[in-house]
Amino acid sequence: MALPPEDEVYLDYQSARPVDPRVVEAMLPYFTERFGNPASLHAPGDRATETFEQSRAAVAGFLGASPEEIVFTSGATESNNLALIGYASRNKRSGDHLVISEVEHISLHNIGKYLEKEGFRVTKVPPDQFGRINPDKLRTRITDDTILVSVCWASNEIGTLQPIPAIAEMLKGTGVALHVDAVAAEGQVPIDMATVPVDLLTISSNDIYGPPGLGALYVRSGVRLAPITMGGGQERGLRSGTENLPGIVGMAAAARIAAAELATEAPRLAAMRDRLISEVLSTIPDSHLNGHPVDRLPNNAHFRFDGVEGESLLLSMRDQGIAVSTGSACSSKTLEPSRTLISCGLLHEEAHGSLEFTFGRYSRESDIDRVMSVLPGIVKRLRDMSPLYDTA
Amino acid sequence: MKSTQYSEKTLDHFRNPRNVGILEGDDVAVGRVGNPVCGDLMEMYVRVKDDRIDDIKFQTFGCGSAVATSSMITELVMGKTLDEAVEVTRADVADALDGLPPVKMHCSNLAADALHDAIKNWRSGKRLTPLGAEEIAAAGAGCGAREATVVQGVAEYAGKGVYGSLDDVSVLADKRVLVVDKGIPSARLALALTGVTPRVIFVTELETLGLPEEVATGVKRSDVKVLLRSRLLAVRGEGEVEKVLIRDLDEDDEYELFVDAVVLLGT
């Protein structure tokens, strides 16, 4: 079992996940004896083609999609780029306006900035205090020039699930395409393209315990994109570059395992999440849950503590061998408070006091015991030296 | 370099900060600096005897480096003359900690700035005194003293999230509500709103809650988030209230806050 070391508690599955040993085992032959380029006409090439298409079918099956609707990429960021830039470039005759929710991953905000430089207009739609996008509010942002809306399936930070079926239903027949970043949600909640009319959907391999550096974009049949990577025309011209065969085999294995285990794993994670939330809120005074109290990812517990700052919390947890996250790991370099938390209505000092726990396949009940044995003391120590917290 | 790649010395000062706390007395001056965008707020208390720093303590809300630089600077200047202490620079603090990650260098600015602010206050005769009864009374009389400022967008969003009166708080169930201080009725309304929504913000230009004690205590003990020394400048949104622009009167800083409703009694 790929457990973290016994003395280490890893509750940051949102940042990175171990690759499932069953996935590693499935991949290994494809590095050595079963190598091959699907474009080659000889026997190893043919074998590679066969393996490759079986893998594509497995990933498609995971999403309730057809194999020809799956495009492999180098990861979620590339999938998001291909979805937005590829769709906007190909469909600009229909309009120059895109709508992005405020609670998206930073990659989508930065793609939006790039598209604005390229002459498109990008409007943001804010969430409610629980981080949820209201379809009616989203509707007010749509104009005759709108070509695409992008809303995540669940927030990667606070874990709030978005009403994607309702949003997809609202957009149906309007001619406005819907892109969904499903990276935080994949493998945790059912995602079925056969029943939800999403046009473009981003997934990543590592977020279902597959190898990192690999992702896919679901492109509904009939949806037209312009490629953003030029080359030998692989992936029907949408994503050139020789296929990463071992990686794709791994992602397919990961997708099969995720689909088979979702029904048992999701409730197991949700029970741990609920235990942590209940113990933190009842043990630590002036602690708050960020995100939605109920409609949230099974593995996400996101808190803030009045009067303390997140990096100090994180460093103190690290000293105790506990790996957690504060805000979005990706945006910590900018020193800016998390955009998601600010758009939920938090003040800067509240957003800075946040701490994110994300559970995963190798999380144990004992991890929560460890957290609860140190967190109340850490918060108290930091509050004792904080001018923002009145102990009286 | 990652923000968490601190030197051992920095980590030591973070784990075991020296001279944490506050000082009291009429021989104490305090310096207070902060950058809410970075999430830092620092208070430096100095007790001066014969022009020397006889004692120094600090309180910090901030990251690991904010804690460590505060702690380090107290060690560097303890016992020094004021002239020597003002010579201590941001770079001296960073050097004494065996360097800071580049992204965190501004935190060393804060510690030095807080110290310099405290010394400046000492030299200009500004001592730390607890708020006198007269000052509290003056703040408490603030009901009439609250400035009537023009808030942009109030007329535009009337009926679209701006409320001049509110008979039934349940219309704001689960909304983020900003209540502007208009004295006792507004404070009571804020308290009532906590029964229907988890997010109620009470914004006042005063330094303390200028309310009769039982109302002030009720607000402090409640889930109402109080913003002191803050002014509502503008209401914004597309078709309905979505954000407000707030001015922090102490920091001379403006920021946006996402809300769904604004209650401005009497407008």
Side-chain angles (χ1 to χ4, degrees), chain A residues 70-127:
Chain A
I70 300 298
V71 176
F72 286 106
T73 67
S74 66
T77 294
E78 189 192 328
S79 295
N80 285 342
N81 274 270
L82 176 58
L84 266 68
I85 299 171
Y87 191 87
S89 314
R90 184 71 164 71
N91 297 282
K92 63 180 161 206
R93 271 180 309 175
S94 306
D96 63 351
H97 182 235
L98 296 90
V99 181
I100 298 177
S101 98
E102 289 277 11
V103 297
E104 296 305 303
H105 184 263
I106 190 166
S107 66
L108 284 158
H109 288 293
N110 285 334
I111 293 165
K113 276 188 206 158
Y114 168 82
L115 285 170
E116 283 180 328
K117 277 189 218 141
E118 293 295 301
F120 291 91
R121 290 174 302 123
V122 178
T123 302
K124 302 284 171 75
V125 57

Side-chain angles (χ1 to χ4, degrees), chain B residues 19-30 44-48 53-59 78 128:
Chain B
N19 305 308
V20 177
I22 62 169
L23 294 173
E24 287 173 351
D26 54 9
D27 52 354
V28 172
V30 63
M44 199 66 71
Y45 294 80
V46 290
R47 170 170 287 128
V48 182
I53 294 181
D54 182 58
D55 200 0
I56 178 164
K57 290 212 185 294
F58 77 92
Q59 285 201 308
M78 183 78 82
L128 178 73

Side-chain angles (χ1 to χ4, degrees), chain A residues 307-308 382-391, chain B residues 20-22 32-33 40-45 58-62:
Chain A
V308 296
L382 293 171
R383 279 178 175 167
D384 284 347
M385 65 168 104
S386 169
L388 288 184
Y389 194 76
D390 189 0
T391 43
Chain B
V20 177
I22 62 169
R32 192 169 197 257
V33 295
D40 291 314
L41 187 67
M42 206 172 280
E43 287 177 354
M44 199 66 71
Y45 294 80
F58 77 92
Q59 285 201 308
T60 286
F61 162 82

Side-chain angles (χ1 to χ4, degrees), chain A residues 127 129 141 312 319 350 385, chain B residues 15 60 62 174 176 199 242:
Chain A
Q129 62 180 315
R141 298 313 208 250
S312 287
D319 279 349
E350 293 175 309
M385 65 168 104
Chain B
R15 290 178 186 129
T60 286
D174 274 350
R176 291 163 285 195
R199 189 63 170 173
E242 290 177 347

